Amino acid sequence: MAAGDGKWLVRLAPLSTGEPRPLTVTGRNKIVLTDILVGEVWIASGQSNMERQLGLRAGQKPITGWEAEVAAANYPAIRHFGVTQAKALVPQQTVKGSWTVCTPETVKDFTAVGYLFGRDLHVARRVPIGLIHTSWGGTP
């Protein structure tokens, strides 16, 4: 049950990694989320070097070999959550953004460092990888 301020918490028993599965949340209403993976989640944060996308970026030299990386980026078990940049003077409880499945069409907008890190982890550990991208170049 949610608290008066709408916050809630659920603790799940350990789940096995593997194929996408649905997740059902039931209360006064029922919400079914689909295509949910269980694996590792990593935060990719920092400034401009972490913010830099894998694909072309105006005013910057292309990353060496970026086109081959993009063409080979068919990793549906790697997901990227891009946190929308928003100024705040105090820590925030929620953020805006969205999860994106890693494909040759989408990976161009992933953080390059985060993607290469996540790809290597995924290949080595054979588990789904979630990347939460929170970087913002030039911020104090």
Side-chain angles (χ1 to χ4, degrees):
M1 176 181 271
D5 61 3
K7 293 180 183 177
W8 58 277
L9 172 71
V10 65
R11 295 185 194 279
L12 302 173
L15 300 168
S16 61
T17 62
E19 297 298 313
R21 63 185 83 193
L23 176 66
T24 303
V25 180
T26 304
R28 288 186 198 147
N29 58 344
K30 180 177 177 180
I31 299 171
V32 178
L33 304 170
T34 59
D35 199 26
I36 304 298
L37 294 172
V38 175
E40 297 182 7
V41 178
W42 292 83
I43 295 176
S45 192
Q47 297 219 358
S48 58
N49 288 341
M50 186 62 79
E51 184 180 22
R52 176 69 158 86
Q53 296 113 325
L54 182 59
L56 293 175
R57 189 163 185 178
Q60 295 186 349
K61 292 182 181 180
I63 294 173
T64 303
W66 78 272
E67 291 167 311
E69 288 295 341
V70 165
N74 188 20
Y75 295 102
I78 297 176
R79 310 290 172 90
H80 180 275
F81 184 87
V83 175
T84 301
Q85 294 175 340
K87 293 180 183 176
L89 299 176
V90 296
Q92 302 297 293
Q93 295 294 314
T94 61
V95 296
K96 292 183 181 179
S98 60
W99 285 102
T100 304
V101 175
C102 181
T103 69
E105 295 75 33
T106 63
V107 76
K108 293 180 259 187
D109 294 324
F110 284 26
T111 162
V113 172
Y115 164 70
L116 295 170
F117 171 78
R119 180 206 58 196
D120 287 354
L121 277 176
H122 173 64
V123 169
R125 298 184 181 188
R126 299 177 189 217
V127 297
I129 301 292
L131 300 167
I132 299 176
H133 180 208
T134 67
S135 61
W136 192 345
T139 55

